[in-house]
Amino acid sequence: MLWVMRFSGFFSAAMIMIILSPSLQSFPPAEAIRSSHLDGFLGNPITDLPDRFCFRKAAVFHNADKCGFRDNRISGKTDVCDPSLVHVAITLDVEYLRGSIAAVHSILQHSLCPESVFFHFLVSEINLEYLVRSTFPQLKFKVYYFDPEIVRNLISTSVRQALEQPLNYARNYLADLLEPCVRRVIYLDSDLVVVDDIAKLWTTNLGSRTIGAPEYCHANFTKYFTASFWLNLKFSGTFSGRKSCYFNTGVMVIDLAKWRRVGYTKRIERWMEIQKSDRIYELGSLPPFLLVFAGHVAPIEHRWNQHGLGGDNVRGSCRNLHPGPVSLLHWSGSGKPWLRIDSKQPCPLDALWAPYDLYGHSH
Ligand SMILES: *[C@@H]1O[C@H](CO)[C@@H](O)[C@H](O)[C@H]1NC(C)=O
């Protein structure tokens, strides 16, 4: 339990810094705070980090000749608005950090044009920019501060604790957080690895839809909402005339331009407000997405979200792959490969995650 105490001390110090720092308070809560404003969080960013923040430096990945992407050699900087970039958004939080780092590593390894991928990292506790920079020295990325207060009042307290991390809801605010010139983004959970070229997912045709995701029409859609939801037509009527299917919100291609235009963030928030008073579902961030988008999703091949591999940690159950090709492995569910590997009780498929793990000291 030593790290818990060390970390909570570290965390309190960071919180005090936030409270004391007038420059942070002056930002409107719904706006992304540029990473440079968070730089003062840690005295010495590398040496102050607890052991669990220790990652080896990844190899440097270069674009193939035919990528045709060039950095601006004069400024040496990448313009986030460059239209040839592939944009990926991932959250960075202390519990899933090892997973996020492995996800990034996997994307770089399998990309023909890794230098054309721009990462948008969402954080809400501490600034992990130094850690990302030291692990991936060449990475194109930006860190955004997601203020937990934005959703604090919208989250009902009765729901399962693990699903109530405010950062789980950050995917709802990508359209506000990311620069307006970023018109499309791939949102990815932190407990997955990509084993194919992310550029293929990027070029998904969304047609007239705002989001794309693999759909699962055989899943029992009823169970994601309470009986009282289905009995109240005022609520369940929202699904009438829609062929609603379950989809997993851990892998989504999002048309941010359309999202901003229609104002989907507000629509999702409206359902979260209803949940506070009427208890229409049990889970956390997923059901509001189903309420707004189910039946209006551009279907993506199932190979892009082989989900459920986490299984159930309590019963120690291991999952198998679904039949068919695999481009992305997703350890959704309560078991995480890094925890099982550390406890020397890995599931067979955890061996597919391990090669991307960068956790630990370099030797
Ligand atoms: C779907 O889930 C609901 C609620 O859990 C249950 O009552 C119903 O029997 C299920 N339907 C099927 C076909 O399994």
Side-chain angles (χ1 to χ4, degrees), residues 220-225 230:
N220 185 351
F221 195 77
T222 313
K223 70 175 185 187
Y224 294 99
F225 301 93
W230 292 112

Side-chain angles (χ1 to χ4, degrees), residues 116-246:
S116 306
V117 184
F118 196 103
F119 289 88
H120 302 263
F121 294 115
L122 309 161
V123 305
S124 52
E125 290 174 317
I126 51 170
N127 183 14
L128 298 165
E129 178 163 1
Y130 290 104
L131 184 142
V132 175
R133 180 54 70 212
S134 61
T135 307
F136 303 106
Q138 309 285 322
L139 199 71
K140 296 181 171 65
F141 73 95
K142 187 166 172 178
V143 177
Y144 302 81
Y145 176 68
F146 176 71
D147 186 348
E149 288 306 319
I150 293 171
V151 290
R152 191 91 72 202
N153 292 328
L154 287 168
I155 302 177
S156 51
T157 50
S158 51
V159 183
R160 264 204 285 160
Q161 212 59 40
L163 294 165
E164 288 312 276
Q165 292 300 322
L167 209 51
N168 280 344
Y169 295 83
R171 70 195 90 189
N172 182 26
Y173 297 90
L174 291 169
D176 305 326
L177 290 165
L178 272 46
E179 281 77 2
C181 67
V182 179
R183 299 170 59 83
R184 173 179 282 217
V185 72
I186 296 172
Y187 176 80
L188 297 177
D189 271 351
S190 300
D191 50 359
L192 53 78
V193 292
V194 177
V195 294
D196 197 351
D197 194 334
I198 192 95
K200 296 181 196 165
L201 180 60
W202 175 253
T203 52
T204 297
N205 183 1
L206 296 182
S208 62
R209 308 303 200 188
T210 305
I211 71 169
E215 286 188 295
Y216 304 90
C217 294
H218 297 300
N220 185 351
F221 195 77
T222 313
K223 70 175 185 187
Y224 294 99
F225 301 93
T226 59
S228 64
F229 169 85
W230 292 112
L231 288 171
N232 189 340
L233 272 180
K234 187 171 61 150
F235 299 144
S236 54
T238 193
F239 287 125
S240 65
R242 286 160 67 175
K243 194 181 177 320
S244 301
C245 298
Y246 166 78

Side-chain angles (χ1 to χ4, degrees), residues 61-68 107-117 196-199:
F61 299 95
H62 291 295
N63 275 6
D65 286 343
K66 63 175 168 186
C67 293
I107 291 167
L108 297 174
Q109 265 193 39
H110 294 277
S111 291
L112 186 67
C113 310
E115 293 174 276
S116 306
V117 184
D196 197 351
D197 194 334
I198 192 95

